[in-house]
Amino acid sequence: TFVVTENCIKCKYTDCVEVCPVDCFYEGPNFLVIHPDECIDCALCEPECPAEAIFAEDELPESQQEFIEINAELAEEWPNISEKQDPLPDAEEWDGKPGKRELLER
Ligand code: SF4
Ligand code: F3S
């Protein structure tokens, strides 16, 4: 399965949702997640993310391991998103900033 990681927070570009053949992205206030049971591992979303926030689970950096659980949990709570929308207003400014994990809104 593929996993959305920290750098999506406060960016939420949403280019990823447009290419997903099974519409398995779910949307929160400032972050998206992938439903691990619905993702078919096609890898199409990974290169689409301008923030490079999407990784295959087995290629996740050590610092991002907790996002496996975060994606699984929030995909059950948040609504589905299948159409691209505008990024969050300060997406460019937040892209690449460290320490965004604490800013994840539920
Ligand atoms: Fe969707 Fe494919 Fe990305 Fe999984 S890997 S979330 S199926 S686009
Ligand atoms: Fe987030 Fe990248 Fe998609 S910033 S919304 S994972 S395109």
Side-chain angles (χ1 to χ4, degrees):
T1 193
F2 280 66
V3 179
V4 184
T5 64
E6 182 174 9
N7 202 36
C8 178
I9 297 169
K10 290 185 81 72
C11 289
K12 205 165 80 166
Y13 283 107
T14 73
D15 300 69
C16 52
V17 306
E18 212 166 44
V19 298
C20 182
V22 294
D23 292 345
C24 63
F25 282 89
Y26 293 80
E27 182 187 19
N30 65 6
F31 187 57
L32 293 194
V33 292
I34 292 169
H35 198 305
D37 299 336
E38 297 174 0
C39 175
I40 58 169
D41 276 336
C42 73
L44 287 175
C45 57
E46 186 180 8
E48 294 301 319
C49 175
E52 298 182 1
I54 303 178
F55 292 84
E57 184 177 333
D58 57 8
E59 292 172 358
L60 261 191
E62 195 54 44
S63 66
Q64 302 295 306
Q65 290 292 328
E66 70 172 314
F67 282 89
I68 295 173
E69 188 56 39
I70 290 170
N71 277 243
E73 180 191 339
L74 296 176
E76 292 288 340
E77 295 176 16
W78 286 349
N80 190 259
I81 172 173
S82 59
E83 284 179 22
K84 182 172 163 51
Q85 58 191 32
D86 289 339
L88 291 176
D90 299 321
E92 274 183 48
E93 186 185 320
W94 283 99
D95 188 356
K97 282 223 171 120
K100 290 200 280 182
R101 168 66 187 90
E102 290 175 19
L103 304 174
L104 173 59
E105 294 173 33
R106 294 178 173 243

